[in-house]
Amino acid sequence: MILDFIRQTNSSIIDFLVRMHKRTRTFSAHATGIDPFDPGTHLYFFATKREMVVVLIDRAEKACDELADEEPFCEEEPRYFTSEGSRISPVYLLKEFMDRLNRSLNFRFGKDRPKLHGIIVSNMHFINRADMIVTWGDMRVSVFDSQAGIDRLLRLQVNDNGQLAGAAYVESYRDHFVDDAIDPEFEQMLEDFINREYDEMTASADGEDEAAEDEQPCPSADDEGDDDSSDVDELQSVFDDMQVNQNNTVRVEILKPMSHPEREMERLVGCQNIKRHIQELIMLNEYNKRLRLINPKARLHELSLHSVFLGQPGTGKTTVCKVMGSLLYQAGMLSKGHVVVANRGTFVGSCWGDEERAVRLVLEKAQGGVLMIDEAYLLNGDSRNDPGRMVLPMLMDILANEQKRDLAIVLCGYKQPMLRLLELNPGLQSRFPNRFEFEDFTVDELLDISQRRVGEYDYTFTPQAWESYRSLIANAYQTRDPETWGNARFVANQLERIYLSHAQRCINADISDREQLFTITPADIQPIEVARPRARIGF
């Protein structure tokens, strides 16, 4: 259930909450005035046996732009700021409330307590939302702002399954949460609420036809110990299911979103123009939101996420796809943020006519995330009868459907073959307006990558060893074959050779000293073979 909540977007959250009230399998309750909130604050509770979501309706009389800040100031609660004043952070208040609830549940049920997640639905517009996504995720709260239809939620009624139990359950907060005391009656209330109410609903749900539900059932949460994972970790079970089932349909690789894509973006070596371009897309999306907030009838700027990645192997194309998918997910531009990696073999089957089925299956898996087609130019075979030639036109036809907007397609490959593909298919250039060129890494950038990779294993080079390694990389770079040069892949393979040599030396010399075990010496620097430019025949 938590998964169902956190994968909503600003445009879908209100309709989703309305539908949630109709689900008979889920306990729901409604309350106002629970400490530490103002008396008129509305809270909704949604629960299954293993998960609980607390929804805070953050409704201001006058909706406006607001600057969110979760850092305490002068040892006071963090505050949000508008042009007219400030208020205590609603995320902070919700987190405080969930911490109290979590301690009470943990006291009584230990690791078997339900997993908690917080949701804030606000009619304010948080102008720095994109910068706060990671912070809110660490607090286990998802925030949906700029909700003009928020009044619909205040008229909702809870479902019959939870109404009576929920009323008594919520009343116990008022009496026993102020000082975190654990009242015996409250303990019994929690036990009845979880063991009896949930068990009855779970038992009845087992006999229901899942296909009749308004929403797809979400996976059970892992309830072992404390879990401080982010929103992205909650999505893992979905991508695991996709990986398990993929062999029965099409051959793809599915990469889950990153927990902290901003950090990964900063860690990327080079790629400055690519980082800037991704940020420009996100900022244009935020600009459109502001336009819509000021004038719902304003004409918004066209925003296409489909892109072309040009570059050699090992230049970071797959990593950038993962970062981009996760950033677009956090900005609310994609609903899941995962990456589906496909190639020619994914679409071209052994049976004539399989291509259309494969395209639709791949797009279904990629919906809400990024579809990365590696070496896309191979789809455009030389033969007129090549079935791969059908794939890209099919994609473009499907992309013309407005309902397929929750998707970013990235065509990847070597620069020159990809440019020829775009020339032969003029429609691609308009459908894929974002072009990212991945240059070969410089020697200094390759050394930077080396340092980071070595640091992951806590190794250090002696000065002599590092100088030897630097010379090795510089020589390999100067004599490389531009058509086959592996960039970061070459570095990874070279370091693996060094690790093997280092391990053999330590074992043969019976070294057990910790410092020596983690120190690379000149004797460990063993070069691997580098492909040289091929000689050309001609006059």
Side-chain angles (χ1 to χ4, degrees):
M1 181 185 62
I2 290 177
L3 168 65
D4 285 338
F5 274 92
I6 64 177
R7 67 183 178 186
Q8 299 307 310
T9 64
N10 273 358
S11 61
S12 68
I13 183 63
I14 291 183
D15 288 337
F16 174 75
L17 284 168
V18 171
R19 293 196 304 271
M20 278 295 296
H21 280 75
K22 301 176 182 178
R23 293 181 67 170
T24 58
R25 295 191 306 140
T26 304
F27 168 91
S28 67
H30 175 210
T32 59
I34 297 178
D35 182 76
F37 303 100
D38 292 334
T41 303
H42 291 259
L43 290 178
Y44 287 93
F45 299 83
F46 299 90
T48 62
K49 186 172 183 179
R50 295 182 177 179
E51 298 175 301
M52 182 183 297
V53 174
V54 183
V55 180
L56 167 63
I57 308 302
D58 179 43
R59 181 183 181 277
E61 292 185 6
K62 179 182 178 182
C64 60
D65 289 349
E66 190 168 32
L67 181 70
D69 187 3
E70 304 301 340
E71 291 293 329
F73 181 72
C74 295
E75 300 184 356
E76 295 183 354
E77 297 91 343
R79 305 190 72 83
Y80 286 12
F81 300 89
T82 67
S83 59
E84 299 179 357
S86 66
R87 60 168 176 153
I88 297 177
S89 159
V91 178
Y92 168 80
L93 293 175
L94 183 57
K95 180 64 166 58
E96 285 285 295
F97 173 73
M98 290 195 303
D99 286 344
R100 295 180 181 182
L101 175 57
N102 199 51
R103 285 194 292 270
S104 298
L105 294 172
N106 188 57
F107 180 86
R108 186 64 184 85
F109 299 106
K111 70 177 185 179
D112 294 325
R113 71 189 186 279
K115 180 182 292 186
L116 286 174
H117 191 81
I119 300 287
I120 289 182
V121 181
S122 178
N123 63 345
M124 299 294 281
H125 173 243
F126 303 127
I127 58 179
N128 58 334
R129 170 189 169 85
D131 297 331
M132 300 302 298
I133 292 292
V134 173
T135 300
W136 289 334
D138 291 341
M139 298 170 75
R140 305 203 67 187
V141 175
S142 300
V143 178
F144 302 90
D145 65 343
S146 305
Q147 300 298 317
I150 200 170
D151 288 342
R152 290 176 60 194
L153 301 179
L154 304 182
R155 297 192 293 269
L156 294 178
Q157 299 297 319
V158 298
N159 62 39
D160 294 337
N161 279 344
Q163 193 164 9
L164 182 59
Y169 181 55
V170 170
E171 283 296 328
S172 63
Y173 292 133
R174 296 188 175 95
D175 297 333
H176 305 297
F177 265 172
V178 175
D179 57 1
D180 291 340
I182 305 298
D183 182 85
E185 294 183 4
F186 179 48
E187 293 182 40
Q188 188 62 46
M189 186 75 64
L190 291 175
E191 184 171 9
D192 291 343
F193 176 67
I194 293 175
N195 293 339
R196 177 169 55 80
E197 297 286 342
Y198 287 2
D199 285 341
E200 288 177 3
M201 284 184 284
T202 304
S204 64
D206 290 339
E208 295 179 0
D209 182 4
E210 297 292 349
E213 290 293 328
D214 290 335
E215 294 80 34
Q216 293 293 325
C218 54
S220 297
D222 179 10
D223 58 356
E224 294 183 2
D226 290 328
D227 186 359
D228 293 326
S229 59
S230 68
D231 290 355
V232 170
D233 296 320
E234 300 288 357
L235 292 165
Q236 180 61 51
S237 57
V238 167
F239 303 118
D240 289 343
D241 290 343
M242 295 166 78
Q243 296 279 16
V244 169
N245 295 328
Q246 67 188 27
N247 291 330
N248 296 326
T249 53
V250 287
R251 298 189 301 273
V252 296
E253 181 183 6
I254 299 173
L255 311 176
K256 72 173 184 176
M258 297 176 169
S259 300
H260 302 288
E262 292 90 349
R263 298 179 191 173
E264 296 300 326
M265 177 73 84
E266 290 300 319
R267 284 170 50 86
L268 286 176
V269 175
C271 305
Q272 295 304 320
N273 61 325
I274 295 169
K275 296 176 185 179
R276 182 173 61 254
H277 195 159
I278 293 175
Q279 288 298 331
E280 287 172 351
L281 289 175
I282 294 173
M283 292 174 70
L284 181 57
N285 180 66
E286 288 297 315
Y287 180 76
N288 276 343
K289 289 180 182 179
R290 293 194 187 187
L291 288 181
R292 187 184 295 114
L293 183 65
I294 296 172
N295 180 8
K297 297 182 180 180
R299 181 178 178 181
L300 303 182
H301 295 277
E302 292 291 331
L303 181 62
S304 175
L305 304 180
H306 307 313
S307 308
V308 177
F309 282 11
L310 310 172
Q312 297 293 106
T315 48
K317 296 187 293 294
T318 302
T319 301
V320 169
C321 264
K322 288 183 66 177
V323 171
M324 185 170 75
S326 301
L327 286 173
L328 296 178
Y329 162 70
Q330 288 192 350
M333 301 165 72
L334 293 174
S335 61
K336 296 177 184 175
H338 62 296
V339 177
V340 173
V341 182
N343 53 35
R344 174 185 168 89
T346 303
F347 301 102
V348 180
S350 58
C351 299
W352 184 266
D354 262 4
E355 293 73 35
E356 184 175 358
R357 179 190 67 87
V359 167
R360 295 193 179 278
L361 288 172
V362 170
L363 288 175
E364 181 180 339
K365 289 183 179 295
Q367 194 69 17
V370 177
L371 170 57
M372 174 182 172
I373 303 179
D374 199 15
E375 296 186 307
Y377 48 81
L378 294 180
L379 291 169
N380 208 45
D382 294 332
S383 171
R384 290 186 177 181
N385 296 324
D386 183 0
R389 284 175 169 258
M390 303 169 59
V391 173
L392 292 176
M394 287 180 192
L395 282 174
M396 287 191 288
D397 287 343
I398 295 173
L399 292 177
N401 186 344
E402 291 294 327
Q403 295 179 352
K404 299 295 182 182
R405 288 288 183 175
D406 189 17
L407 175 69
I409 298 181
V410 178
L411 305 180
C412 298
Y414 292 95
K415 180 177 179 179
Q416 293 306 320
M418 287 297 298
L419 292 178
R420 286 196 294 271
L421 175 67
L422 295 175
E423 290 174 1
L424 293 172
N425 296 268
L428 287 178
Q429 299 199 36
S430 59
R431 295 288 185 189
F432 293 82
N434 305 303
R435 187 174 298 186
F436 300 84
E437 187 164 348
F438 293 73
E439 302 287 350
D440 282 348
F441 291 115
T442 65
V443 171
D444 286 342
E445 288 171 341
L446 292 173
L447 293 172
D448 190 2
I449 293 171
S450 301
Q451 287 281 24
R452 297 185 186 201
R453 288 181 178 270
V454 167
E456 293 174 359
Y457 292 95
D458 293 328
Y459 285 118
T460 58
F461 283 79
T462 66
Q464 297 83 0
W466 180 248
E467 188 58 37
S468 176
Y469 180 79
R470 179 195 292 273
S471 299
L472 184 156
I473 295 296
N475 182 64
Y477 183 84
Q478 292 297 328
T479 59
R480 73 192 187 283
D481 181 355
E483 295 183 2
T484 60
W485 176 242
N487 287 284
R489 294 182 190 176
F490 170 79
V491 167
N493 293 335
Q494 178 61 70
L495 290 176
E496 285 298 323
R497 175 66 262 175
I498 292 174
Y499 298 153
L500 290 172
S501 177
H502 173 72
Q504 183 178 1
R505 179 178 64 82
C506 289
I507 295 301
N508 289 338
D510 194 23
I511 294 174
S512 58
D513 177 71
R514 186 186 187 285
E515 182 176 353
Q516 294 185 55
L517 286 172
F518 286 94
T519 301
I520 304 296
T521 70
D524 302 323
I525 308 300
Q526 301 294 329
I528 62 175
E529 184 177 353
V530 182
R532 308 297 183 190
R534 289 170 291 181
R536 298 186 181 274
I537 300 176
F539 298 95

